[in-house]
Structure formats: C-alpha cells, structure tokens
C-alpha cells in the first residue's frame, strides 16, 4: 500500500530518522556485547584483547552512511553515545569520549565523500550493481580509518597502548561484522523477494 505524502514526510523527518536509526544501532550494540561477545569468549576463548571479532554495528552504520552521507553522523550520534554509556565504562575522560564519538560518527561519511570526489561524481547513492561494490570499498577504508582513530584515542587515555595489533583487531572485527551484516541483508532481501513472488 502506497504511503501518503504526509506519512512519507513524517517518516523522512530528521527526528524520526534519528530515533529509528539510533535505535537500531543501540539494539545491534546490545546484541554484540550481550550475546556475541559472551559467545566468542565461550567458543573461542578470548580471540581479541581489543575489539570484537563479529562487530555487527559497523556494517549497519556503513550502510546508513551510504544512504544518508553526512546526515548519518547526526542520525547515529545519539545511538553511539548511548552505546558508549552502556558499554564503554566510566573511566575514560570526557575528551576521549568526544573524540571516540567523532571517530565513530564521521569516518564513514568522510570516506564516502572522498570516494565520490576521487571518482568525480556527486556524493550520493549509486545504482546497482555498483552500490554493493561501493559499500564494501567504503567499508574497508572506513574500517581502517576507524581502527587507527580508535587506537590513537585509546593511546591518549592509556599511554603507549597504541599498537599494530590493536589496529588489526579493530579492523578485522569491523570487516567480519560488515560482511556478516551484508550477508544477512542479502538473505533477507532474497526471502522478501521470494515471499512477494508467491503472492
């Protein structure tokens, strides 16, 4: 059933997008830390001393940045902030928290903007089949920039803690999480298409 213009306008309003997208992000953060992390520790022991092997939220925020570009930073900032309150602990100084929030919210939109500039096109979503390739490419760059940025922020709180191992762990967890998210979405779209075809 086609949504009327007023309903579409409300659903596309910044407050609603912020509530929905940040809500989904927080749900993924909770699933990651309350389900995936304990599972990893039970099955794999402690694979990473920094980061998470299956960091699901990363894939989601790259996809949001693909569609929303710079607006994604505003839509996801409350979700990132709440996730940090829930799981980052209370020991980090406020400057480190602000820097972490900046890294998390700005890296993906910045990478999409740079890729658009480098390819000489407008900074907006592209048509299929290039969309998935762009998302994966931007995700790889974002994961690396994120890993370096978060490692440097951590080093500002715990001096001499920055390391190549930390960068690799953050990067690996983001990439595994992104591909898990993308595979899950691909399966969901295929199931949806099959259900629609049965009608």
């Amino acid at each position: 059933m086609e949504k009327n213009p007023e309903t579409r306008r409300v659903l596309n309003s910044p407050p609603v997008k912020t509530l929905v997208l940040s809500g989904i992000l927080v749900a993924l953060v909770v699933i990651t830390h309350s389900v995936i992390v304990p599972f990893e520790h039970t099955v794999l022991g402690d694979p990473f001393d920094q980061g998470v092997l299956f960091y699901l939220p990363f894939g989601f925020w790259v996809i949001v940045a693909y569609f929303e570009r710079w607006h994604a930073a505003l839509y996801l900032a409350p979700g990132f902030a709440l996730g940090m309150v829930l799981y980052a602990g209370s020991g980090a100084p406020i400057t480190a928290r602000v820097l972490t929030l900046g890294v998390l919210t700005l890296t993906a939109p910045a990478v999409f903007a740079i890729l658009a500039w480098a390819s000489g096109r407008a900074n907006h979503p592209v048509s299929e089949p290039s969309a998935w390739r762009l998302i994966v490419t931007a995700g790889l760059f974002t994961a690396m920039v994120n890993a370096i940025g978060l490692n440097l922020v951590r080093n500002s709180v715990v001096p001499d803690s920055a390391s190549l191992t930390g960068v690799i762990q953050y990067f690996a967890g983001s990439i595994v999480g992104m591909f898990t998210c993308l595979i899950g979405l691909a399966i969901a779209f295929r199931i949806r298409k099959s259900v629609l075809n049965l009608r």
Side-chain angles (χ1 to χ4, degrees), residues 8-184:
R8 192 179 299 112
R9 186 186 67 80
V10 171
L11 293 176
N12 285 326
S13 66
V16 172
K17 281 189 173 182
T18 300
L19 182 65
V20 171
L21 295 175
S22 278
I24 294 172
L25 179 63
V26 171
L28 290 173
V29 169
V30 170
I31 290 170
T32 298
H33 288 275
S34 299
V35 178
I36 293 176
V37 171
F39 178 78
E40 284 183 10
H41 289 168
T42 300
V43 175
L44 303 174
D46 190 8
F48 291 167
D49 59 353
Q50 298 180 44
V52 180
L53 182 57
F54 288 88
Y55 193 67
L56 289 182
F58 180 80
F60 174 72
W61 91 60
V62 169
I63 291 171
V64 172
Y66 168 74
F67 286 107
E68 301 294 344
R69 301 306 161 108
W70 289 109
H71 292 116
L74 298 175
Y75 298 151
L76 296 178
F80 281 122
L82 182 54
M84 289 166 58
V85 168
L86 292 173
Y87 295 103
S90 58
I94 188 65
T95 53
R97 290 173 179 271
V98 171
L99 287 172
T100 298
L101 188 61
V103 170
L104 294 174
T105 56
L106 296 174
T107 47
V111 166
F112 278 112
I114 291 169
L115 289 176
W117 170 80
S119 61
R121 57 175 177 74
N123 186 23
H124 57 67
V126 297
S127 59
E128 294 289 358
S130 300
W132 288 106
R133 290 197 291 268
L134 177 58
I135 289 171
V136 170
T137 301
L140 291 170
F141 281 111
T142 301
M144 181 55 67
V145 175
N146 249 356
I148 294 170
L150 293 175
N151 212 247
L152 291 176
V153 172
R154 185 172 186 267
N155 188 69
S156 71
V157 177
V158 184
D160 300 323
S161 63
S163 66
L164 180 60
T165 301
V167 170
I168 291 171
Q169 289 181 3
Y170 281 128
F171 177 78
S174 296
I175 294 304
V176 172
M178 179 181 72
F179 280 110
T180 302
C181 185
L182 292 177
I183 291 169

